[in-house]
Amino acid sequence: MSARASGTTVAAEPCPDDGPVPLGADPAGAGLDPDDLPDGLVVADESGRVICFNAAAARITAIDPHDALGRPLEKALPLQDIEGRRWWQLTDPYGGLAIRSGQPERNLLLGGREVLVSARYVRSRPTGPVRRLVVALRGTEARRRTELSHAELIATVAHELRSPLTSVKGFTATLLQKWERFTDDQKRLMLETVDADANRVTRLIAELLDISRIDSGRLEVRRQRVDMVSAVRRHVQAQTTAGQLPDRFLIRMVGPLPDLWADPDKVDQVLGNLLENAVRHGEGTVTIEVGPASSGSGAEGTSVTVSDEGPGIPEESMSRVFTRFWRGSKRGGTGLGLYIVKGIVEAHGGTITVGRAPAGGARFRFSLPVGTPAFMA
């Protein structure tokens, strides 16, 4: 009999089922070789000796399959937890409670390297002895990428917070020390600057909280009646109040709109981000078109299209627009706004797309279903 080890046959017990695992309903009768698996696979028999050690396991652990096959599992794969305890002695897969079915994935140490390990106990009957111990191994590269992404998020937000907080601290300290030296107009100007910077800090913290809720799937949607046209006009007015020329914006309404039940605060976030994005990164007239939308299933809703006449987004970048930290230009911003917009729209059950506007600029279009009022949900 033989065991599979990275394409090499050595003296040992057979791999489970005496060969490759069948692919089930495969009309060609092809099989799945353990070396074809992307994750590490280690199998031990009823006596705890390794009978299968695939190529991915060898890559992840840096252990030669010939050194592992036929050896006791605790010696072939000497895993430890982060406190230095021997994993196989701690879990005792062949002893202990007979109702256990395995071990969930956790981060363990193997010769100084981190490995993600999960185990499955295969029994001949529900409470019988362990006939096979199947161990899955994965590298920690994906987890490290996630950790790096979180670190980048923290660094980005910290950098963006530093500027307004420095301004707030400077102006408040100056006013406290030299209040009587300033005129009322000077005091008002400094307090208005402090107020604007405090609002900026509040927005950044809100963005951070939104990202946390989106990533964890806990973004709550409190649906109320929303007048989308009025909301668009309100945001356009806010832009003109902030100094933009009124004739830069064009609002179009296409046909009667169905009643829309959505979270008004989050709809404001979406509109605010898209309009600010068009004003900051686009050029020419910003056109906002509001109209009815229908999906392939016939469900009704409302769609909003925001387009500009600027250079637009390069074709090769469109697939990355809604990812974290994507920036269309070097004109500031955290690069988190469109990621949050996509999360909010999808939390409503809607969709958002990006493309090229007829005038050559960027065109964002999002659609929200009619929805159900919060008190009826």
Side-chain angles (χ1 to χ4, degrees), residues 13 43-52 68-73 94:
E13 293 297 320
V43 181
D45 63 11
E46 65 273 5
S47 66
R49 293 186 177 274
V50 176
I51 61 173
C52 199
L69 287 165
R71 298 184 67 196
L73 184 61
Y94 291 93

Side-chain angles (χ1 to χ4, degrees), residues 102-115:
Q103 294 289 336
E105 185 176 76
R106 62 193 64 202
N107 199 1
L108 299 177
L109 300 176
L110 180 65
R113 67 172 61 202
E114 295 183 4
V115 183

Side-chain angles (χ1 to χ4, degrees), residues 100-101 120-125 128-134:
R100 296 181 303 168
S101 60
R120 174 76 175 175
Y121 304 160
V122 180
R123 304 176 187 273
S124 55
R125 58 182 188 279
V130 174
R131 185 174 63 89
R132 290 283 190 271
L133 178 61
V134 181

Side-chain angles (χ1 to χ4, degrees), residues 1-15 18 35 43 49-54 64-71:
M1 307 296 283
S2 63
R4 183 171 299 277
S6 302
T8 304
T9 302
V10 299
E13 293 297 320
C15 277
D18 287 321
D35 284 347
V43 181
R49 293 186 177 274
V50 176
I51 61 173
C52 199
F53 200 96
N54 74 346
D64 190 325
H66 293 82
D67 296 335
L69 287 165
R71 298 184 67 196

Side-chain angles (χ1 to χ4, degrees), residues 62-310:
I63 295 174
D64 190 325
H66 293 82
D67 296 335
L69 287 165
R71 298 184 67 196
L73 184 61
E74 65 271 15
K75 293 183 180 180
L77 208 61
L79 295 166
Q80 295 181 329
D81 65 10
I82 58 175
E83 297 178 2
R85 295 174 295 183
R86 295 181 180 179
W87 181 242
W88 300 119
Q89 292 182 5
L90 190 66
T91 57
D92 190 15
Y94 291 93
L97 294 174
I99 59 172
R100 296 181 303 168
S101 60
Q103 294 289 336
E105 185 176 76
R106 62 193 64 202
N107 199 1
L108 299 177
L109 300 176
L110 180 65
R113 67 172 61 202
E114 295 183 4
V115 183
L116 297 174
V117 182
S118 59
R120 174 76 175 175
Y121 304 160
V122 180
R123 304 176 187 273
S124 55
R125 58 182 188 279
T127 58
V130 174
R131 185 174 63 89
R132 290 283 190 271
L133 178 61
V134 181
V135 181
L137 306 173
R138 290 197 303 128
T140 57
E141 292 83 2
R143 177 171 293 186
R144 291 187 185 280
R145 284 194 295 270
T146 301
E147 292 173 350
L148 286 173
S149 177
H150 289 164
E152 186 178 359
L153 173 62
I154 293 171
T156 299
V157 173
H159 175 75
E160 293 292 327
L161 286 172
R162 184 180 301 153
S163 176
L165 287 176
T166 300
S167 171
V168 169
K169 177 62 177 175
F171 278 121
T172 53
T174 301
L175 287 170
L176 287 171
Q177 293 172 5
K178 304 176 182 179
W179 179 268
E180 68 282 351
R181 299 186 184 182
F182 297 106
T183 66
D184 288 345
D185 288 341
Q186 289 173 327
K187 293 173 183 176
R188 175 177 291 277
L189 177 62
M190 286 190 279
L191 288 174
E192 286 176 348
T193 304
V194 168
D195 182 63
D197 285 333
N199 288 336
R200 182 179 169 190
V201 171
T202 301
R203 286 197 302 272
L204 285 169
I205 293 173
E207 283 186 352
L208 193 61
L209 291 172
D210 285 336
I211 288 174
S212 174
R213 295 186 184 109
I214 290 170
D215 288 347
S216 62
R218 294 185 293 107
L219 187 66
E220 293 185 5
V221 175
R222 302 182 184 277
R223 296 182 185 271
Q224 301 175 36
R225 179 82 174 271
V226 173
D227 185 338
M228 187 65 79
V229 175
S230 296
V232 168
R233 287 173 177 160
R234 186 172 62 252
H235 280 276
V236 169
Q237 184 176 4
Q239 289 288 336
T240 57
T241 303
Q244 295 295 326
L245 297 175
D247 58 2
R248 187 177 180 186
F249 300 94
L250 175 62
I251 301 175
R252 291 177 179 166
M253 179 175 169
V254 182
L257 300 176
D259 289 341
L260 176 65
W261 295 85
D263 190 315
D265 292 336
K266 291 179 171 54
V267 169
D268 281 340
Q269 262 186 283
V270 172
L271 291 174
N273 267 294
L274 293 181
L275 279 177
E276 184 178 349
N277 184 75
V279 169
R280 177 181 293 181
H281 304 292
E283 298 173 3
T285 301
V286 176
T287 303
I288 307 101
E289 186 175 288
V290 184
S294 60
S295 65
S297 60
E300 293 184 339
T302 298
S303 70
V304 179
T305 304
V306 179
S307 56
D308 62 74
E309 299 175 344

